[in-house]
Amino acid sequence: MPNRTGAASQETSSAFTSAAEAAGYVSDHCLRAGALGPVGLEIEAHCYDLANPVRRPDWDELTAVIAEVPALPGGSRITVEPGGAVELSGPPAADVVSAIEAMSTDRAILRAAFAQHGLGLVLLGADPLRRPRRVNPGARYAAMEAFFSASGTAAAGAFMMTSTASIQVNVEAGPQSGWADRVRLAHALGPTMIAVTANSPMLGGRFSGWCSSRQWIWGELDEARCGPVLGANGKDPASDWGRYALRAPVMLVPGPDAVPVTNWVPFADWADGRAVLGGRRPSRADLDYHLTTLFPPVRPRGFLEIRYLDSVPDALWPAIAFTLVTLLDDPTAADIAAEATEPVAAAWDRAAQVGLGDRHLHEAAVRCVAVAAERAPATLTESMQTLLRSVEQGRCPADDFADRAVEYGIGPAIRQLARGDS
């Protein structure tokens, strides 16, 4: 969730004249035809004080540490999430193995730089210890807080913004003739991959009752902004995204400062002139900004952003990234994945709550991870075998963290992970 507080200047001549025109603009630009292969990775990690895990490092402290990080050879960009989580966003790589190698190198350098200041970067889907608190002073995030409060989702919004972390996998949309099947599969894989990566069993110092508290939090936000994109049949994902975007309520009006919209105004109403925001009808810049405030599990941005994975440990995320990309990009693996996930393609809540404890999700996960493991290069053998063993045993990362927290206590468990203890 990058910090974007500015927007292009508004011109009357660029304003939309109708919601239909705005929807057409979204549909025409949301997917870009091209060859499969390039992959981008983004990894968010919670930042903890090794001496006092309850303390949340502040903005000045985080930015000072980041300023000292040497150039990252993989080209990753470092940003800070609203609650102080640190994100590495890698540039597109030629293939998933190259993306993994580059991100692994950059993450090792980043961790070492933070360790020099007594700080640790922990890969968990949700902060299990601290209460939500925003440290990023960006106007965008202050406006988001106001929007969530006005919409009756203040608590979920605060947890989402300041207490969750994910691994995001970005893949090409592929040839236009395959868009419908590809986007449908990206969604169908969601519950199975949520069950495989669930790694957030605790919030605010207690067990939440969900293997992926992160997914539960996102589910508590409005469906129009965070629910799946696909329409009734999923045959035209570009048009589905256009309809979704126009139905979603406007969160912020861009300008010198982001201005929250505290009543429910679908973007279609703004474009049609049924509602007036900022004293104008929306422009392309307004619509482009609106799209950055929509958080579905699969978001079209020319490419496909896969946003439903919990952040998982260094031993596992390379295998997770490889598995997901293989299931989408390898034609034979994609066919197997489509068949395996069909019975659980809509089991989003079930996957988040019980993880691999559901028999059908477990069966789908074993088939999907096994087919990816067969195709993994030697450099990923250890990570893939670790993931495959866990999945075969019906365990997700949340089980490992829960065991650690019960044995040592939450604070000590966090400190161990922040130090890099296995």
Side-chain angles (χ1 to χ4, degrees):
M1 211 163 33
N3 180 11
R4 299 175 184 170
T5 57
S9 62
Q10 309 302 319
E11 298 179 4
T12 303
S13 61
S14 67
F16 291 108
T17 60
S18 69
E21 183 188 1
Y25 170 78
V26 174
S27 298
D28 289 345
H29 293 84
C30 67
L31 294 173
R32 181 179 58 246
L36 302 180
V39 173
L41 298 177
E42 303 179 24
I43 295 184
E44 297 170 341
H46 302 286
C47 184
Y48 291 95
D49 182 336
L50 290 169
N52 180 15
V54 176
R55 184 182 77 84
R56 190 183 292 270
D58 63 27
W59 176 253
D60 290 340
E61 183 178 3
L62 292 168
T63 54
V65 175
I66 290 171
E68 297 180 9
V69 177
L72 298 177
S76 295
R77 183 169 58 97
I78 307 170
T79 55
V80 178
E81 296 295 294
V86 179
E87 180 179 32
L88 279 179
S89 300
D95 53 67
V96 64
V97 175
S98 299
I100 290 168
E101 291 173 351
M103 180 58 69
S104 297
T105 299
D106 288 356
R107 178 161 157 76
I109 293 171
L110 186 71
R111 287 189 62 186
F114 270 71
Q116 291 178 356
H117 293 267
L119 301 175
L121 299 176
V122 176
L123 299 176
L124 282 168
D127 188 333
L129 185 60
R130 301 173 298 199
R131 296 294 301 172
R133 183 171 68 83
R134 180 170 61 89
V135 300
N136 188 321
R140 171 183 169 96
Y141 300 129
M144 288 176 70
E145 285 180 341
F147 172 87
F148 287 128
S149 179
S151 65
T153 56
F159 273 108
M160 180 275 285
M161 291 173 62
T162 70
S163 301
T164 63
S166 70
I167 293 173
Q168 185 172 297
V169 179
N170 303 322
V171 296
E172 294 295 328
Q176 186 170 354
S177 61
W179 283 353
D181 288 341
R182 186 164 175 77
V183 174
R184 191 181 300 114
L185 179 57
H187 281 81
L189 281 165
T192 297
M193 294 305 296
I194 286 170
V196 169
T197 63
N199 191 32
S200 45
M202 304 186 75
L203 282 175
R206 60 185 62 185
F207 286 99
S208 67
W210 292 70
C211 290
S212 177
S213 300
R214 174 185 175 274
Q215 187 67 22
W216 170 60
I217 290 166
W218 283 97
E220 290 295 293
L221 298 170
D222 62 89
E223 184 79 4
R225 168 163 272 104
C226 301
V229 171
L230 286 185
N233 55 36
K235 291 182 179 179
D236 187 356
S239 294
D240 287 342
W241 179 231
R243 284 189 293 269
Y244 183 104
L246 270 290
R247 291 171 180 168
V250 181
M251 175 183 277
L252 316 171
V253 176
D257 291 309
V259 179
V261 179
T262 54
N263 54 328
W264 189 274
V265 179
F267 195 94
D269 287 1
W270 191 14
D272 273 336
R274 290 191 295 270
V276 177
L277 301 175
R280 63 177 187 271
R281 283 205 184 189
S283 69
R284 290 185 177 185
D286 291 316
L287 181 49
D288 288 340
Y289 192 94
H290 172 65
L291 296 177
T292 72
T293 70
L294 307 182
F295 311 114
V298 180
R299 184 166 68 175
R301 291 187 59 194
F303 53 93
L304 297 179
E305 275 185 354
I306 311 298
R307 304 174 52 86
Y308 44 62
L309 306 172
D310 273 16
S311 196
V312 297
D314 285 305
L316 290 178
W317 72 254
I320 294 295
F322 182 83
T323 295
L324 184 55
V325 174
T326 299
L327 297 176
L328 287 168
D329 284 8
D330 181 289
T332 301
D335 287 344
I336 294 171
E339 179 185 352
T341 59
E342 184 177 7
V344 292
W348 297 88
D349 286 347
R350 182 67 175 164
Q353 187 165 23
V354 303
L356 295 175
D358 178 273
R359 177 172 63 86
H360 301 293
L361 285 163
H362 182 233
E363 290 173 355
V366 169
R367 287 191 67 189
C368 287
V369 174
V371 75
E374 293 171 357
R375 291 157 170 77
T379 55
L380 293 178
T381 297
E382 183 175 357
S383 184
M384 283 301 313
Q385 289 304 312
T386 299
L387 176 63
L388 183 58
R389 282 195 301 271
S390 294
V391 169
E392 288 175 340
Q393 294 167 4
R395 291 180 63 85
C396 57
D399 297 314
D400 295 332
F401 179 75
D403 289 349
R404 187 188 292 260
V406 168
E407 181 173 358
Y408 299 104
I410 305 172
I414 288 293
R415 190 178 291 111
Q416 291 170 12
L417 295 177
R419 290 196 304 255
D421 297 353
S422 59

